[in-house]
Amino acid sequence: MSLIKLEKVSKYYKSEDTVSVGMKNVDLELDLGEFVVVTGESGSGKSTLLNVISGLDGYESGELYLFGEETSHYLISDWEKYRGAYVGFVFQNYNIIDSYTVLQNVLLALEIQEYDKAKRKQRALELIEKVGLLRHKNHRASKLSGGEKQRLVIARALAKDCPIIAADEPTGNLDSESGKQILQLLHSVSKDKLVILVTHDYEQAEQYATRKIKMHDGEIVEDKVLKHTEDIELKQFEPRKMKLSTLMKIAIRNLLSTPKRLIFMLLMQIIAAVVFVSVYSSLIAGIRETGLSQSSRFPTVPETRLLVEKRDGSEFTNDDLNALAKMRHVDHVYKYAQNFYNTAHLMIYIDGSKDDFYHRPYYVRSTDTAARLSKNDVEGRIPTAKNEIVFSSYYSDIQIGDKVTIGLTDYDVYYYAYEKEYLIEIGTFTVVGIDKLNRSTVYFSEEYLNQIPQNVANIDFKAFQGNISQMLYNMEITDQYDNTYKFGGPDWVDSDLYIPHFTDGILQTNLDITIKTTTEYGKEIELHFENIRYMGPKLEDLINPYAYIGLELYELIIDEFRERTLDNYILEDQHLVSISVGGFYAGSKILKNIDSDKYRVYYPSYIFEPMRELLVFLQTLLAILVLSLIGMLLGFIIQIVTKNIMRSRQKDFAIYRSIGANKYILARLVVFEQILLSIIAFMFTLIALIILKTYVYNISKTILYIQFIDYIIILAILILLGMRIGLKFNRKVFNQSVIETLSESRED
Ligand code: ADP
Ligand code: MG
């Protein structure tokens, strides 16, 4: 039985309108030990014969037997197995991977056959030594001379320890001296093997040939045995399956061996990812903000705060606090819940250093503790001492180092309270940082806020427990004639005590009134005032069932509220804790998640408007549309670029195949490379975003809304996109024969 036997094998090349003959009716038997030189003029079919024999190309008719087995039913995978296990290739065009080093080129062949890992490198070096390239072992293959490249190819062919060596014009591009060396080398490794050498220069190879085959017009015209060879038994070779770790190694090597390509691909993916993340995050921010907005009832309470109490009215134990702190979306649990309400109504006075703004009041929308701030968001630093504070960049004339006096007032009077005398000062603070995010929030130090309960007895603002403006709106006023009125809002007339409408236009003095109201937490407060002077009526007051209060009376009422609510302050505090969260979105989640049989949750600053659900839905649709379009555009760009990059790798892929990598291996290799690339790109993207976040405030504003899961989604999209392109390319490569791919890559 011959190693290889051809029976009337013909091969035609079909192009659009012509069919040309590659070879026809070739009968041939080849065996181990032979050094067959195939010769003939250009176009005579030498390469065709070699390619068919070595399984690089198919044939149309006849039968090729390998080891006595018919091959006409062979599938691509069978050919791959055959090539991988039995054939080593040496081509005219030095098919080596240019970006690899000499050592890596040889290692690749050993890796693909999963050669014993411990001996892999040693074996590779032996082979490199054998072909005389040891001193070049760490040089890039592209730097070698033609002769050296061809020697490297031979070393790699030998790495497979394969019985057949197919060499197509291996000296064709070499000077005669190098050519001679290559033939010598081929001869020296040919024992026990079948070497098929295609050359148009028969003389050069004559001395080594054991058999001469001459071709003409696709037919064998001469077949002469020059030396008889002994029978050699074929060693059966079972290629081992490649391990995942080996593939991984090759994938990493492929990325690193072409640093320019790597950087380019990374940059492209990073830019795409940053664009995508930015669009994605602003859309997400939009969606998550819709339907969530600051309550107009509690306009100054921070959206970062919720209040929790136990439904059974008992105090919080440490276990309770810990359990709350561990919940998702909870940033922090603060024992002293009330503080954030008390400090919610602020007027800020800048100290007298600036003439223009000596009495300039700032209405501060909300306050919170600076411990929640990210250092990146703060220019300057986070306050640590009691008298330090972080301001929002919103208040643009306040700068680091400024001293500000902070006073409390009621939300509804702030407009009138230009004068310091209407404020209850809580202290003077030094601005140590500016919150770049412009959240119109003022941040106190943790220490300051924690101390409030202890200082409570001597700080006036405990009177602001609850929400005084709310209490005013709840106010019911009754006079001694049992007329009842509602509080008419902040429409007072200078400093007169002014309660119109009491007795229908008759000026009235010595009015006794009782004012009833409830605090937010349901406590009823009743105040009684005597000898109030009534100044009315005004025309509109006659129609209007409201009582309007002058500032003096208002202050009297406030004072009374202070006194009345003071006693219960500490008591209430122990039953109420405050949870800090990232914002409305997190807060709304907590409202849902923590509110239970055990806890009651208040989220004063939050309202949900049901109409907005529709809006959210529409916004989501729009977002999906926009993202798909952008994704498609970016994907398209990446695809075009990647495709071109992949094309430049066609040759490498053909080489992988020629040394035994099959479709599956290459597919996995491509996928690994893409996943690695995406992960690296993704990490750089994160770094890029963090840097951008620090310097570009608008980005950080929207990035706040991106959650971990969003990042995972983006990573998955990147990976899928990369995989799709890689696999598509892989399919294309495998739709061609190795030879077609090689010649195509040569044309490029
Ligand atoms: P050689 O190697 O002896 O120069 P080939 O085997 O390459 O000859 O070619 C044999 C014949 O087949 C030639 O006529 C050549 O034009 C034709 N041929 C070879 N490869 C192709 C191909 N890919 N497409 C079309 N014709 C081809
Ligand atoms: Mg040829």
Side-chain angles (χ1 to χ4, degrees), residues 489-508:
D491 197 6
W492 23 73
V493 177
D494 284 328
S495 56
D496 283 315
L497 303 176
Y498 181 47
I499 306 177
H501 202 264
F502 272 0
T503 47
D504 285 14
I506 298 162
L507 188 124
Q508 180 84 45

Side-chain angles (χ1 to χ4, degrees), residues 400-430:
I400 294 175
D402 282 354
K403 287 214 183 321
V404 294
T405 302
I406 294 184
L408 300 178
T409 185
D410 185 86
Y411 170 59
D412 294 304
V413 278
Y414 86 92
Y415 194 73
Y416 300 89
Y418 286 113
E419 302 301 322
K420 260 187 174 174
E421 61 193 273
Y422 297 116
L423 290 175
I424 299 151
E425 278 187 24
I426 61 168
T428 298
F429 297 80
T430 308

Side-chain angles (χ1 to χ4, degrees), residues 157-169:
L158 294 175
K160 284 206 303 192
D161 198 18
C162 44
I164 302 166
I165 291 195
D168 194 348
E169 309 267 10

Side-chain angles (χ1 to χ4, degrees), residues 42-48 92 168-169 198:
S42 179
S44 58
K46 307 182 293 292
S47 297
T48 305
Q92 180 176 1
D168 194 348
E169 309 267 10
V198 165

Side-chain angles (χ1 to χ4, degrees), residues 437 689-701:
L437 281 189
L689 286 177
I690 288 169
I691 294 171
L692 283 176
K693 186 185 148 178
T694 314
Y695 295 104
V696 187
Y697 310 136
N698 282 340
I699 287 190
S700 61
K701 224 173 176 174

Side-chain angles (χ1 to χ4, degrees), residues 349-362 397:
Y349 273 78
I350 298 185
D351 237 9
S353 56
K354 286 178 193 136
D355 303 339
D356 298 357
F357 296 111
Y358 183 73
H359 273 161
R360 164 110 184 238
Y362 284 84
D397 15 276

Side-chain angles (χ1 to χ4, degrees), residues 59 63 69-75 78-79:
Y59 56 94
E63 185 64 78
E69 194 186 312
E70 289 179 12
T71 61
S72 44
H73 64 272
Y74 264 29
L75 303 171
D78 295 314
W79 286 116

Side-chain angles (χ1 to χ4, degrees), residues 206-269:
E206 191 171 16
Q207 53 174 316
Y208 308 117
T210 67
R211 184 169 172 184
K212 178 188 180 188
I213 290 174
K214 192 166 177 194
M215 296 196 73
H216 183 73
D217 277 351
E219 287 176 299
I220 294 179
V221 293
E222 183 188 342
D223 183 356
K224 196 159 78 185
V225 175
L226 306 167
K227 283 177 216 153
H228 278 282
T229 51
E230 42 200 290
D231 280 353
I232 294 161
E233 210 175 314
L234 176 72
K235 275 191 286 177
Q236 279 296 328
F237 180 81
E238 262 310 310
R240 264 177 287 175
K241 240 184 114 187
M242 252 179 114
K243 283 189 201 146
L244 217 63
S245 57
T246 315
L247 261 176
M248 216 43 181
K249 206 162 135 188
I250 298 177
I252 291 170
R253 183 191 298 149
N254 280 350
L255 291 179
L256 294 181
S257 67
T258 47
K260 271 189 212 147
R261 189 175 78 205
L262 175 66
I263 290 169
F264 184 72
M265 301 266 283
L266 279 178
L267 268 181
M268 187 177 67
Q269 291 212 6

